[in-house]
Amino acid sequence: MGSGKRSLTTAAMALACACACVALATPGVAYASPTPTPTRTPTATPKPVSNNDLEEVRKKLDKLYHQASVATDAYNAAEEKAQKQSAEIVDLAREIVKGQAKLDKLKDRAGAAARAQYRGGGLPPEARLWLSDDPQEFLDGAGRVRQGEHAAKGLLAEMTRTQQDLEQYAKDASAQWKKLEANRKAKAEAKKKIKERIAAAEKLESQLEEKEKERLAKLEEEAAYQAQTTWLSSGILAEINGKASEQGKKAVKYATGQMGKPYEWGAEGPDSYDCSGLTSQAWASAGHGIPRTSQEQWKQLTHVDIKDMRPGDLIIYFDDASHVGMYVGDGAVVHAPRPGRTVTITGAGSMPILGVVRPDA
């Protein structure tokens, strides 16, 4: 019995140890270290942009692109002036070269006259008469001398005028160089402003989602449509019935033929245009040159009443004449709108009209 009890006790202890080992080896029991559960950060849902917010964006974009358009006109004007000044400087340089060659010839003639006088000894006429063996020969010679003296005086006067002309040419050239340098600075400043405004506008647009950009485009269309509707509601279209001139037809054909080509500030085609680049090239293609910028087109071309306009006429927009389109009839214009857009046809009254000008008045 003793040995049996000992055996049972030993077996019981062994069984208890085995159970304990199994329990320690089983995962998920109290003896195992707890594994931390990862915490999920809730994803923030972007707040939708309201129509009011998009309308504010549209107004800001309009303002930035309008400022860029004004700067573009300033750049184009400076570029046009610089081209004219460069041409004038070249012309002046040619005149200086010709004047210098003329002065050199006059100096040669003056030198020859001086040498002839030196060979005559420089004696006064009374002395030469006293020394002469033939008085008649002396008198004939004296007549030639008087003629020579008159010629010499004329030669000296011509030399003086030529010298004065050369000095004036040099002054004019210097003045043109100063103007050219000033226009180069104006161009650089305008170019900087253009890039700044366009970059700001592009940054503003880049912050919008694709759906928001689509909504913004619709807001732009709606604003243009409302402006056009207001303009047409005045009954103005019923009064406009002018027929295009032959040159006007050619200009319209050229301008509408550029539809779909991108806007690019300072561009005059053939692959891209800004607003006045399109209108000036259209009329150049019709054989009638006009100023390069919308502001100069407004200043220099003949003004006509809106009710009297005809296809080919130019409609100038905004109080500062910073935009231009070409009237094509039926209350519409073809124009190059702004960066990011292409040459297109839109309502003539979709923008604030300053007035109408006629290139071939």
Side-chain angles (χ1 to χ4, degrees):
M1 288 295 292
S3 60
K5 286 181 180 179
R6 284 195 298 271
S7 299
L8 288 171
T9 302
T10 303
M13 292 175 63
L15 181 60
C17 289
C19 289
C21 290
V22 171
L24 287 171
T26 303
V29 297
Y31 299 99
S33 299
T35 303
T37 303
T39 304
R40 292 185 179 181
T41 304
T43 304
T45 303
K47 183 181 178 181
V49 179
S50 68
N51 279 348
N52 287 338
D53 291 337
L54 279 177
E55 181 61 20
E56 287 302 313
V57 170
R58 186 188 70 81
K59 289 178 180 178
K60 288 179 182 178
L61 287 173
D62 280 350
K63 184 177 181 180
L64 287 168
Y65 282 124
H66 179 259
Q67 290 171 345
S69 180
V70 173
T72 298
D73 233 27
Y75 176 90
N76 291 335
E79 172 68 16
E80 189 175 33
K81 288 178 182 177
Q83 290 176 355
K84 288 181 180 179
Q85 287 155 0
S86 296
E88 288 174 4
I89 288 170
V90 170
D91 290 341
L92 286 168
R94 287 173 179 160
E95 291 299 325
I96 289 172
V97 170
K98 288 195 301 186
Q100 190 60 57
K102 180 180 178 181
L103 186 62
D104 291 341
K105 289 181 180 179
L106 290 171
K107 286 181 177 179
D108 287 343
R109 287 170 57 191
R115 287 191 294 274
Q117 185 178 7
Y118 177 77
R119 285 194 296 271
L123 294 173
E126 296 83 357
R128 291 203 298 274
L129 176 60
W130 183 65
L131 293 172
S132 174
D133 295 331
D134 187 346
Q136 186 59 47
E137 182 180 351
F138 167 75
L139 292 174
D140 293 341
R144 288 193 296 272
V145 168
R146 281 194 298 272
Q147 291 175 358
E149 288 175 348
H150 287 306
K153 287 180 181 179
L155 181 62
L156 289 173
E158 191 174 0
M159 284 177 63
T160 300
R161 286 194 301 271
T162 303
Q163 186 67 50
Q164 289 172 344
D165 288 344
L166 282 171
E167 291 173 358
Q168 188 60 49
Y169 291 149
K171 288 179 182 178
D172 291 345
S174 178
Q176 290 299 335
W177 273 113
K178 289 179 181 177
K179 289 181 182 178
L180 183 60
E181 185 60 27
N183 275 313
R184 282 176 178 164
K185 290 180 180 178
K187 276 175 59 181
E189 185 62 30
K191 185 176 182 179
K192 179 182 177 183
K193 187 175 289 185
I194 293 166
K195 290 189 172 183
E196 286 176 350
R197 299 302 185 272
I198 292 177
E202 289 175 345
K203 182 179 179 181
L204 186 59
E205 287 184 287
S206 70
Q207 295 170 353
L208 300 174
E209 300 291 335
E210 283 303 316
K211 289 184 178 180
E212 292 166 350
K213 290 179 181 178
E214 291 173 5
R215 286 167 56 202
L216 177 64
K218 287 182 179 179
L219 284 176
E220 291 176 346
E221 290 175 5
E222 287 173 7
Y225 175 77
Q226 288 175 2
Q228 175 73 353
T229 301
T230 301
W231 184 67
L232 291 177
S233 65
S234 67
I236 186 66
L237 194 57
E239 299 182 46
I240 302 173
N241 55 12
K243 294 183 179 180
S245 64
E246 287 305 312
Q247 282 188 315
K249 290 177 182 177
K250 291 178 182 178
V252 169
K253 183 178 180 181
Y254 179 96
T256 53
Q258 311 312 307
M259 287 175 60
K261 293 183 179 181
Y263 177 101
E264 182 182 359
W265 65 267
E268 300 177 82
D271 300 321
S272 57
Y273 297 87
D274 63 21
C275 67
S276 56
L278 176 66
T279 54
S280 60
Q281 286 303 305
W283 272 100
S285 74
H288 191 85
I290 63 174
R292 169 65 178 86
T293 69
S294 58
Q295 292 177 343
E296 288 304 311
Q297 289 169 3
W298 174 244
K299 288 179 184 177
Q300 297 184 34
L301 300 180
T302 302
H303 291 208
V304 297
D305 196 284
I306 292 178
K307 64 181 178 61
D308 296 324
M309 70 179 174
R310 64 193 188 192
D313 288 347
L314 306 181
I315 302 181
I316 309 297
Y317 293 98
F318 304 106
D319 290 341
D320 52 11
S322 58
H323 190 69
V324 60
M326 180 179 291
Y327 187 63
V328 295
D330 296 326
V333 292
V334 58
H335 72 143
R338 66 167 176 81
R341 299 290 187 266
T342 59
V343 176
T344 188
I345 288 180
T346 190
S350 60
M351 296 166 283
I353 296 176
L354 176 61
V356 180
V357 293
R358 178 164 296 162
D360 60 339

